[in-house]
Amino acid sequence: NAGVTQTPKFQVLKTGQSMTLQCAQDMNHNSMYWYRQDPGMGLRLIYYSASEGTTDKGEVPNGYNVSRLNKREFSLRLESAAPSQTSVYFCASSDLQGTGLYFGPGTRLTVT
Amino acid sequence: TQLLEQSPQFLSIQEGENLTVYCNSSSVFSSLQWYRQEPGEGPVLLVTVVTGGEVKKLKRLTFQFGDARKDSSLHITAAQPGDTGLYLCAGAGTGGFKTIFGAGTRLFVKA
């Protein structure tokens, strides 16, 4: 099993460009999440999907959209990238609520 | 707004020493998790504690959940260089989906 996979691993965007970060999990987990990690601020929840067909805002949703494509896949879209969105983005999945998250390797995004 | 505060932020010790990392909040959590993250990788789940007062052991690592379910500690006995990394605590509230993270404790164990 690959666990949680993310593409791309690295990306550089110019301000105003758009892109979609892809995430897939093969653990048959119901819930999936997108976090961003910035120095000194820990991991902050952007959006989550409790189950297939549902999505909800987390702590820092502005500037992002998500799509739960099916049970396996959860994508994060930046419609008009801003320098403040320079960060490392992690996708995660979980089976039961509150039992722990399984993270992907991350996407390192730089917006110039 | 729920917050988790970790201390210390940074710890540099010699191989063989013991250490404790603390995770504190004014909020009650339904569960608390500990993760370890190495540079360039995603966090890896070490343990989940769900019952107030619960103690879990993972080899040389001991995790404790406070009686009131507002705080937790991670104790490492006889630290080794392989323990070097960023340790993150995370709390899940009622409903469990909005797991929040502390800023982390960066541990460096010198050989």
Side-chain angles (χ1 to χ4, degrees):
Chain A
N1 288 350
V4 180
T5 57
Q6 293 183 236
T7 56
K9 290 190 177 181
F10 301 93
Q11 184 71 49
V12 179
L13 291 178
K14 294 185 187 300
T15 298
Q17 288 185 320
S18 62
M19 78 162 296
T20 300
L21 282 63
Q22 306 287 354
C23 173
Q25 53 93 7
D26 63 2
M27 295 176 282
N28 201 35
H29 285 170
N30 288 315
S31 305
M32 297 184 74
Y33 310 79
W34 278 104
Y35 283 86
R36 60 179 287 174
Q37 186 174 36
D38 302 291
M41 300 190 72
L43 287 148
R44 291 181 293 168
L45 182 63
I46 305 171
Y47 270 93
Y48 68 97
S49 171
S51 60
E52 187 178 355
T54 69
T55 60
D56 282 289
K57 295 178 181 179
E59 182 185 355
V60 288
N62 291 345
Y64 306 95
N65 284 301
V66 291
S67 295
R68 183 75 182 266
L69 304 170
N70 48 55
K71 190 171 185 178
R72 291 186 63 249
E73 299 172 289
F74 189 38
S75 63
L76 178 72
R77 182 161 178 83
L78 287 70
E79 290 291 351
S80 179
S84 61
Q85 294 178 305
T86 293
S87 188
V88 182
Y89 290 86
F90 289 101
C91 177
S93 69
S94 68
D95 186 10
L96 300 174
Q97 298 172 28
T99 58
L101 303 175
Y102 294 84
F103 284 86
T107 293
R108 284 141 189 85
L109 174 66
T110 301
V111 183
T112 61
Chain B
T1 303
Q2 292 181 312
L3 289 173
L4 273 170
E5 294 185 355
Q6 283 188 244
S7 61
Q9 291 183 333
F10 182 79
L11 197 53
S12 180
I13 61 172
Q14 291 292 137
E15 181 177 6
E17 292 184 5
N18 301 331
L19 67 116
T20 302
V21 176
Y22 299 93
C23 179
N24 295 295
S25 177
S26 57
S27 302
V28 176
F29 294 100
S30 61
S31 73
L32 205 137
Q33 304 136 32
W34 285 92
Y35 298 79
R36 190 174 92 179
Q37 184 178 22
E38 301 198 25
E41 300 180 6
V44 175
L45 178 66
L46 296 174
V47 76
T48 300
V49 285
V50 298
T51 305
E54 182 177 3
V55 176
K56 280 191 174 179
K57 292 191 175 184
L58 188 67
K59 297 184 180 178
R60 294 176 294 100
L61 278 61
T62 301
F63 305 86
Q64 184 161 9
F65 201 10
D67 291 341
R69 292 188 288 128
K70 293 182 179 182
D71 54 83
S72 181
S73 63
L74 158 60
H75 182 79
I76 300 179
T77 303
Q80 299 177 359
D83 295 326
T84 293
L86 179 67
Y87 289 82
L88 298 161
C89 69
T94 303
F97 295 112
K98 291 188 177 182
T99 299
I100 65 166
F101 283 78
T105 294
R106 192 164 297 279
L107 172 66
F108 182 66
V109 182
K110 293 175 282 189

